Amino acid sequence: MQIFKEIRPLKLHLQHKRKDGLSVGLVPTMGALHEGHLTLVRASKNTTDVTVCSLFVNPTQFNNPVDLEKYPRTPEKDIALLESAGCDVLFAPETSTMYERTGIVHFDFGDLDKVFEGKFRPGHFSGVATVVSKLFHIVEPDHAFFGQKDYQQLQVITRLVEELKFNIQIHGVPIVREPGGLAMSSRNQRLSDDEKKRALILHESLSDARNSLISGKPWTDVQKGIIEKINKTEDLQLEYFELARRDDITNSKDAGVGNGILLTACFVGPVRLIDNMFI
């Protein structure tokens, strides 16, 4: 695996690959890698000739400075994991390389970035769109791979590609879960053993809600029961537990079996986790 910290050497390296007729896949990450990230790398390797993984903790997508400061950083471990997964290229720039000065460009995705994560993390998706746009311009991938755990982010990036006419195929890769059902996340590293056990209620609640909806129970009743159950659990603070249409998460009308997605965000102790499940 070849490692680049600067933009120009990386672009020259990839230009040579393209001249040889090779396709390029991009897996953007913020590091603290886990099996979910490695699944993205494998998906890229199965689809493209050259897999590029980026490792960059993007400051502009954090609306909480404490969250940015405490975000886990494990670069040596990340490099070893990527090498074992067969990643071809790692791009690990410094913040000054990606942001030479304070940014003035902001993205607005209409209702798409005003609900769920956008509501509770104002400015988050503008920061995501900014750094992903930069990575797309630097790497110029043919394909890019994102995890479905961040489903709203996946929708934002899909819209970004559509609006700015990037010639890139976006792939959403299913959630990878730990034993018990907890969605794999870099933030899980900040959970104590007890907090991890309590966090299992998120997957349990999504599964219960899905089964209840499939059995024909009204959504308002299902939602009320789930919220009451989570709120009674020690050290959990629920932000939202909602139902929306998969193809348009700004619209919950007619969402249900076959076209719906359940989305949730919850603090487990000091750590904010998100999860979702198709119906």
Side-chain angles (χ1 to χ4, degrees):
M1 182 175 70
Q2 294 184 262
I3 301 175
F4 296 88
K5 288 187 170 293
E6 301 296 333
I7 294 171
R8 181 169 174 75
L10 171 65
K11 290 180 72 71
L12 289 173
H13 176 77
L14 294 176
Q15 284 172 8
H16 289 306
K17 298 297 183 183
R18 290 191 192 89
K19 285 180 181 178
D20 292 336
L22 302 179
S23 59
V24 176
L26 172 65
V27 178
T29 84
M30 293 203 300
L33 303 184
H34 50 70
E35 183 61 28
H37 294 110
L38 301 184
T39 299
L40 301 179
V41 171
R42 296 184 193 106
S44 177
K45 289 185 66 64
N46 288 335
T47 307
T48 65
D49 300 308
V50 179
T51 292
V52 180
C53 183
S54 65
L55 195 165
F56 178 66
V57 180
N58 175 40
T60 65
Q61 69 188 69
F62 287 83
N63 62 314
N64 182 344
V66 175
D67 192 24
L68 172 60
E69 179 185 348
K70 292 188 175 182
Y71 195 87
R73 293 164 171 84
T74 57
E76 293 182 0
K77 178 183 175 184
D78 294 342
I79 289 172
L81 287 173
L82 289 173
E83 287 180 332
S84 69
C87 181
D88 301 296
V89 175
L90 171 61
F91 179 46
E94 299 293 335
T95 301
S96 58
T97 299
M98 298 298 285
Y99 296 97
E100 295 179 22
R101 62 178 78 180
T102 301
I104 59 173
V105 175
H106 298 279
F107 288 85
D108 188 325
F109 292 90
D111 292 340
L112 184 57
D113 63 353
K114 306 299 187 294
V115 297
F116 308 132
E117 291 302 286
K119 177 181 178 181
F120 287 91
R121 303 179 69 188
H124 168 68
F125 287 119
S126 178
V128 169
T130 298
V131 75
V132 169
S133 296
K134 289 173 183 273
L135 290 170
F136 284 172
H137 282 299
I138 293 166
V139 177
E140 298 180 71
D142 302 288
H143 302 262
F145 300 81
F146 297 86
Q148 288 180 352
K149 180 178 71 69
D150 298 285
Y151 189 79
Q152 188 173 5
Q153 173 181 280
L154 179 60
Q155 297 300 304
V156 166
I157 291 167
T158 300
R159 187 63 181 269
L160 176 74
V161 168
E162 176 187 321
E163 291 285 342
L164 298 186
K165 305 302 180 187
F166 285 110
N167 186 25
I168 301 170
Q169 185 174 343
I170 301 299
H171 300 260
V173 179
I175 297 171
V176 178
R177 299 186 179 277
E178 297 184 10
L182 181 64
M184 286 194 173
S185 169
S186 299
R187 287 181 170 86
N188 292 357
Q189 297 181 29
R190 295 178 54 199
L191 297 171
S192 67
D193 290 342
D194 285 343
E195 287 168 341
K196 270 196 172 185
K197 290 178 182 177
R198 285 194 286 273
L200 296 178
I201 195 174
L202 297 181
H203 178 255
E204 178 185 314
S205 297
L206 289 167
S207 298
D208 288 348
R210 180 184 61 182
N211 293 336
S212 294
L213 290 170
I214 290 173
S215 70
K217 291 184 179 179
W219 164 241
T220 52
D221 294 344
V222 173
Q223 183 187 43
K224 181 181 178 181
I226 293 294
I227 290 174
E228 289 177 353
K229 179 180 179 181
I230 293 177
N231 285 339
K232 288 178 181 177
T233 304
E234 180 185 359
D235 213 24
L236 263 63
Q237 181 183 345
L238 184 67
E239 286 195 334
Y240 62 82
F241 192 95
E242 299 287 349
L243 171 67
R245 289 177 62 92
R246 257 178 260 175
D247 58 353
D248 180 8
I249 63 169
T250 66
N251 183 10
S252 61
K253 185 179 180 181
D254 300 326
V257 179
N259 68 0
I261 181 171
L262 294 158
L263 304 110
T264 189
C266 184
F267 278 94
V268 181
V271 183
R272 187 178 186 273
L273 301 178
I274 63 172
D275 202 347
N276 66 73
M277 186 173 290
F278 290 164
I279 307 173

